[in-house]
Amino acid sequence: MTGAPALPLHMRRDGFDPAAELARARDDEGVVRVMTPFGVPAYLVCRYEDVREVLSDPARFSNARTPVARTDLSEEELAQMRAGNLLACDPPEHTRLRRMLTPEFTVRRIRRLEPRISEIVEAALDDLEQAGEPADLVSHFALPVPSLVICELLGVPYSDRAEFQDRSARLLNVSLPIEERMAVRRENRRYMARLVAQAEADPGEDMLGMLVREHGHELSTDELIGIAGLLLIAGQETTSNMLGLGTLALLRHPDQLAMVRDDPARVEPAVEELLRWLSIVQSMPPRTTTEDVEIAGRTIPANSLVLVSLAAANRDHAFVAESGALDITRGASRHLAFGHGVHHCLGAPLARMEMRIAFPALLRRFPRLALAEPDEEPSFRVFNVVYGLESLRVTW
C-alpha cells in the first residue's frame, strides 16, 4: 500500500499466525517498547498471564486516563467521544453503563434469538447459492449475517448497511490519516444521533428503545449515541471476520472441517478454538498506568501507554501446548479473544451463538465447499484493528 504507515508490531501477521517478530517479543522478552500508529511510544505486553493481569486490573491500567490521538479537539467534542463508550471508561462509570446492558446479553436472553438467527443464516446461504459459483463468501454470507442480527437487535435500518459498513471499515483502518478517521467518526456519530433521536421520540421494542424506556432518566443523549455506535460496530465487525477467516481456516484443515459439519458435539469447542487460534481482535484499547508497575520483570513507569497483543497471548505455549496448531477438539475456553476482566466482550454470547449456528449450516448446505483459487493467497485486512479477509471466493 503506497504511503501506508509502518504496521504496528501487535498487528503484524503471517497469514493466520502472529508474525515471527511478534512471537519472538513474547518468547524472549514478554514486554517490548513499540510505537503506536499515532507516533506515541508504548509498552506492548505479549504473554498470556501478563495480558490477563493487565486486563483484570483497571485500577493500575486505566482506560479512562488514556489520551485520545488528537489534541486539537474541543472539550465538548472530547466529552462526546467518550460518552457511552464502555471501552473508554473505568469503574464505577463503566459498571454503571454495563449494568444497563448486561440483561440484554445474558445467555438466556440470547437463546431467544436462536430461531431468528437460524432464519438469517439460511437466507444468507440462499443468497450465496443464488449468486452462483464462484461467489464471495464474505459479501454474501460472513458480513450479512451479523449485520442483520445486530441491526434487528439495536433497531438500525438494515437498508443503511452499506453506509455503516463502509464507515466501520474506514474507522478501524489504521493506514488512513487520522484526519480522515476523525471525519468518519463524526459522520458515524451524526448517523447514530439521528437513530437515537428517533428512539427517544418513539421507543420501539429493540435495544435502543429499551434503553430509552428503562434508562432514559439515567443516560444522556450523548451516552445513548456512544453505546449504540459501539454496539453497531462491534456487533458486525468481529463476527463477520470470524465467519470469513474461520471458514478459510477450516477449508485448510479438511479433517477438522468434516468434524464441524458432521458432529454437532464438535461445534462448540471448534468455535472456541477458532476464536483462540485466529484472535481477530488484535488488541484491546490502550491502557495508561496509574503507578509504576512490573510486568515480566520489567518496570513500566506511571503514566505510560500499555498495549496488549491478544494474538501473541493466545498462542503462548505456557497457555496451550502446541499452541500454533489448530485443534478443534481441545476447545481452549480460557482464551483472550473476547478480552478479560471488566471489559470482557459484552456481546460474547451473541457472537458465539451466531458462529455455532453459521459454521455447520454453511458446511452442511455446501458439503463440497472449496476455495475458488486454492493456490492464491487471499487478501487479508492487514491494517484493520479487526483482522480478517477482504473477500473469499468459493465454489461448491
Side-chain angles (χ1 to χ4, degrees):
M1 185 180 296
T2 304
L7 191 63
L9 179 60
H10 70 278
M11 295 178 66
R12 294 180 196 168
R13 297 283 190 114
D14 180 10
F16 297 118
D17 306 325
E21 59 267 34
L22 179 55
R24 281 196 300 272
R26 177 197 62 218
D27 298 340
D28 296 346
E29 299 176 70
V31 176
V32 293
R33 288 279 275 171
V34 296
M35 197 67 70
T36 71
F38 310 109
V40 179
Y43 290 86
L44 177 63
V45 180
C46 302
R47 292 175 182 162
Y48 176 81
E49 289 295 343
D50 296 333
V51 170
R52 280 175 60 94
E53 180 179 347
V54 171
L55 298 182
S56 64
D57 191 350
R60 293 191 302 155
F61 300 92
S62 168
N63 283 51
R65 296 195 190 188
T66 300
V68 297
R70 292 284 293 274
T71 57
D72 59 344
L73 302 175
S74 68
E75 288 297 321
E76 179 184 9
E77 193 164 17
L78 281 170
Q80 287 180 336
M81 283 175 57
R82 288 188 176 275
N85 184 351
L86 280 78
L87 299 178
C89 60
D90 299 325
E93 177 67 6
H94 175 271
T95 309
R96 178 183 75 88
L97 293 172
R98 187 162 177 134
R99 171 181 56 81
M100 303 178 206
L101 292 167
T102 298
E104 298 300 308
F105 287 100
T106 61
V107 173
R108 175 184 292 182
R109 188 70 62 92
I110 293 302
R111 280 186 184 140
R112 298 179 187 175
L113 300 175
E114 186 168 359
R116 179 59 185 141
I117 294 174
S118 295
E119 290 176 357
I120 290 171
V121 166
E122 291 302 322
L125 292 172
D126 291 342
D127 179 66
L128 178 64
E129 190 167 16
Q130 290 164 11
E133 52 186 327
D136 178 20
L137 185 93
V138 171
S139 61
H140 289 285
F141 181 71
L143 190 54
V145 167
S147 292
L148 183 51
V149 170
I150 199 65
C151 281
E152 292 191 358
L153 195 63
L154 279 177
V156 175
Y158 188 58
S159 56
D160 295 346
R161 65 190 180 281
E163 295 177 32
F164 64 67
Q165 286 168 0
D166 175 68
R167 284 195 299 269
S168 297
R170 287 187 289 151
L171 193 61
L172 298 174
N173 186 342
V174 301
S175 72
L176 298 179
I178 186 62
E179 292 78 14
E180 182 175 343
R181 294 174 69 196
M182 290 302 295
V184 175
R185 183 187 291 269
R186 294 186 180 101
E187 185 183 341
N188 198 59
R189 190 181 185 283
R190 287 192 294 270
Y191 172 75
M192 299 311 302
R194 291 196 299 272
L195 295 181
V196 167
Q198 293 168 11
E200 289 177 326
D202 183 20
E205 296 303 313
D206 49 71
M207 193 178 298
L208 265 182
M210 177 279 294
L211 288 170
V212 169
R213 282 194 312 275
E214 298 182 16
H215 304 288
H217 61 291
E218 301 174 79
L219 292 169
S220 68
T221 296
D222 282 340
E223 286 175 329
L224 283 167
I225 292 168
I227 290 170
L230 176 62
L231 293 179
L232 180 60
I233 292 174
Q236 60 173 328
E237 284 290 327
T238 50
T239 309
S240 67
N241 283 290
M242 273 301 303
L243 291 177
L245 202 60
T247 299
L248 176 62
L250 290 172
L251 287 169
R252 289 188 170 171
H253 296 79
D255 55 332
Q256 301 191 58
L257 181 152
M259 286 190 280
V260 174
R261 182 190 64 219
D262 301 333
D263 185 353
R266 300 287 192 182
V267 175
E268 187 169 339
V271 166
E272 298 307 316
E273 175 68 350
L274 286 167
L275 284 162
R276 178 199 73 83
W277 198 67
L278 296 173
S279 296
I280 59 163
V281 177
Q282 313 267 24
S283 177
M284 300 295 285
R287 267 69 168 168
T288 297
T289 52
T290 60
E291 59 185 63
D292 291 358
V293 295
E294 185 173 313
I295 296 286
R298 180 164 189 170
T299 298
I300 301 177
N303 299 312
S304 297
L305 206 61
V306 175
L307 290 167
V308 297
S309 171
L310 300 182
N314 277 334
R315 296 289 191 95
D316 190 341
H317 299 296
F319 166 46
V320 170
E322 299 182 14
S323 58
L326 178 69
D327 179 3
I328 66 165
T329 64
R330 63 175 145 208
S333 59
R334 293 180 67 247
H335 61 72
L336 301 172
F338 289 120
H340 180 67
V342 297
H343 290 281
H344 182 271
C345 177
L346 188 66
L350 177 61
R352 284 184 164 110
M353 173 166 283
E354 290 178 280
M355 286 184 276
R356 286 200 299 263
I357 294 171
F359 280 126
L362 169 69
L363 301 176
R364 287 195 301 265
R365 174 74 73 92
F366 304 111
R368 291 187 294 276
L369 190 72
L371 297 174
E373 294 103 9
D375 297 327
E376 293 185 18
E377 187 71 1
S379 177
F380 293 96
R381 292 168 27 133
V382 176
F383 278 91
N384 203 284
V385 173
V386 182
Y387 192 60
L389 296 169
E390 298 287 355
S391 63
L392 185 66
R393 285 165 54 83
V394 295
T395 61
W396 51 87

